[in-house]
Amino acid sequence: MKEKLEQIRSAVETELKSAADMEALENIRIKYMGKKGELTAVLKGMGKLSKEERPVIGALANEIRQNLEKEIEEKKSAIMAAEEEKRLAEETIDVTMPGKRSIEGKLHPLTQVMDEIKRIFMGMGFSIADGPEVEYDYYNFEALNIPKNHPARDTQDTFYIEDNIVLRTQTSPMQIRVMEKTKPPIRVIAPGKVYRSDTVDATHSPVFHQIEGLVVDKGVTMADLKGTLEMFVKSLYGENTRARFRPHHFPFTEPSAEMDISCWSCGGKGCSVCKGEGWIEVLGCGMVHPKVLANCGIDPEVYSGFAFGIGLERIAMGKYDINDLRLFFENDLRFLSQF
């Protein structure tokens, strides 16, 4: 048995020299020192030895086992060091090579203009209100003095979820929600997405953005409306921007008006952008209808107010001289990276 142990020692040392990786090293360990290994088998046969041979062979077997464990561990460390050195050599970074420039993200042009509009109105003392895009018919139409037979309620103009639930066609429902919960004085804008059943073209989209504005207080007049909106367009487009108001009709305001500004391209002289008129329509507005105030529990004999609705896409198209609304939604980096 002594000779067998010496043979095992010699065989393990020889095989360890040729072991090139961790897998080969593990195979050697299992072959000689595993549960069914050759050295383990010798140790299990110790019971067959005489009392005189057992301590001698036992001491030799333990010595050989400890030496083999030490040699295997040393070989393991050597293999790991060699593998790490090889990996470091393969992963060497040439610090003199030019780096790859990472692309920085930017705010979408619509978001940029929306943020600027918010800053302008907040500077005039307005707060910002937010509300649901899936809206009740009551808030979207009825409370805004839009009767059941109004064409805006037709399914060809409005997306209906259920008979009395729609995708909001304007952010005007926030007028009602704010006035129901807030007592005058009120000064608020409500920006957000709106939805209408429009065919996509250069000036229309079934999804777009609107900023609703509302002011309610004692003694509010049309002069306050004009002054507020003129300050807004001058802040956005420049001090030389002129504004004009044309009579119009909206169910929830009386009197109502459309607001035009001098063409941002030609300054009012007339060009292809304004179709030779010198003016471009940018928003609708008016004095809040007394019936709308009454619907929200506000006495129209005591309070008055004005409201306006701004189409974000139209404002952005003017600010950046863009002639096709679809560019905002196509996610073409060649377009978006310009802003």
Side-chain angles (χ1 to χ4, degrees):
M1 187 170 285
K2 184 177 180 181
E3 293 178 357
K4 177 64 175 176
L5 289 171
E6 293 295 345
Q7 289 176 0
I8 291 173
R9 189 211 300 261
S10 177
V12 172
E13 291 176 349
T14 301
E15 292 183 29
L16 283 176
K17 291 178 182 178
S18 61
D21 52 40
M22 298 298 290
E23 183 180 357
L25 186 64
E26 181 64 9
N27 290 336
I28 293 171
R29 188 193 67 80
I30 293 172
K31 178 180 178 181
Y32 293 99
M33 302 171 66
K35 290 183 179 180
K36 298 181 180 180
E38 295 182 19
L39 180 58
T40 305
V42 171
L43 294 174
K44 287 180 178 179
M46 293 281 290
K48 299 178 181 179
L49 297 175
S50 64
K51 292 182 179 180
E52 293 79 14
E53 292 179 308
R54 195 175 300 163
V56 177
I57 299 300
L60 178 61
N62 285 329
E63 179 190 348
I64 292 174
R65 183 180 182 87
Q66 290 174 4
N67 288 340
L68 292 182
E69 286 176 346
K70 181 180 179 182
E71 290 176 10
I72 288 174
E73 193 60 34
E74 289 175 353
K75 185 66 175 181
K76 179 179 179 181
S77 299
I79 291 174
M80 290 175 66
E83 288 180 349
E84 183 177 2
E85 186 176 348
K86 180 182 178 182
R87 186 172 63 255
L88 290 174
E90 291 174 348
E91 296 176 358
T92 298
I93 299 174
D94 184 354
V95 295
T96 65
M97 291 180 64
K100 293 182 179 179
R101 191 170 186 174
S102 58
I103 300 175
E104 292 185 359
K106 297 181 180 180
L107 291 175
H108 192 279
L110 290 179
T111 303
Q112 293 183 38
V113 177
M114 179 73 87
D115 288 346
E116 186 172 358
I117 291 173
K118 288 178 181 178
R119 284 194 295 270
I120 292 171
F121 281 107
M122 289 173 70
M124 290 190 279
F126 284 73
S127 58
I128 297 175
D130 188 26
E133 295 177 15
V134 179
E135 187 59 277
Y136 288 107
D137 177 279
Y138 171 78
Y139 288 103
N140 198 76
F141 295 124
E142 190 172 336
L144 290 166
N145 200 33
I146 301 176
K148 291 288 186 182
N149 60 352
H150 195 281
R153 294 197 179 206
D154 194 284
T155 54
Q156 292 184 351
D157 289 323
T158 302
F159 293 107
Y160 276 82
I161 306 299
E162 295 178 3
D163 288 343
N164 66 332
I165 299 178
V166 301
L167 295 182
R168 67 182 180 187
T169 60
Q170 53 204 353
T171 53
S172 301
M174 287 306 299
Q175 281 191 41
I176 309 302
R177 290 185 175 274
V178 169
M179 286 191 287
E180 282 183 342
K181 297 179 180 179
T182 308
K183 294 182 179 180
I186 297 170
R187 190 179 298 168
V188 66
I189 60 170
K193 288 180 183 175
V194 297
Y195 306 84
R196 296 182 188 175
S197 186
D198 288 333
T199 302
V200 177
D201 59 27
T203 57
H204 295 85
S205 170
V207 182
F208 57 102
H209 299 77
Q210 192 180 64
I211 301 98
E212 178 77 14
L214 174 69
V215 172
V216 179
D217 202 350
K218 294 178 180 178
V220 175
T221 68
M222 193 76 175
D224 298 309
L225 167 63
K226 292 181 67 177
T228 299
L229 294 180
E230 285 178 358
M231 180 176 288
F232 161 64
V233 296
K234 286 179 181 294
S235 299
L236 190 66
Y237 291 111
E239 282 296 323
N240 294 327
T241 304
R242 291 171 292 125
R244 74 175 185 184
F245 294 81
R246 293 178 288 104
H248 196 70
H249 168 71
F250 297 110
F252 37 86
T253 54
E254 181 60 40
S256 304
E258 292 277 12
M259 177 177 160
D260 304 330
I261 63 171
S262 51
C263 178
W264 47 71
S265 183
C266 66
K269 297 177 181 179
C271 65
S272 59
V273 174
C274 60
K275 300 179 181 178
E277 296 180 3
W279 298 92
I280 296 177
E281 176 192 327
V282 290
L283 58 87
C285 58
M287 301 301 292
V288 179
H289 198 292
K291 192 172 182 179
V292 173
L293 292 173
N295 287 341
C296 300
I298 296 175
D299 188 349
E301 297 295 327
V302 177
Y303 294 98
S304 59
F306 65 78
F308 54 86
I310 304 169
L312 176 64
E313 282 75 7
R314 176 167 291 188
I315 294 292
M317 290 172 75
K319 185 172 178 62
Y320 295 126
D321 198 16
I322 296 167
N323 59 8
D324 194 327
L325 180 147
R326 291 170 290 192
L327 292 169
F328 289 125
F329 304 108
E330 290 176 347
N331 295 324
D332 189 333
L333 289 178
R334 294 172 299 178
F335 170 76
L336 296 176
S337 61
Q338 299 177 60
F339 303 94

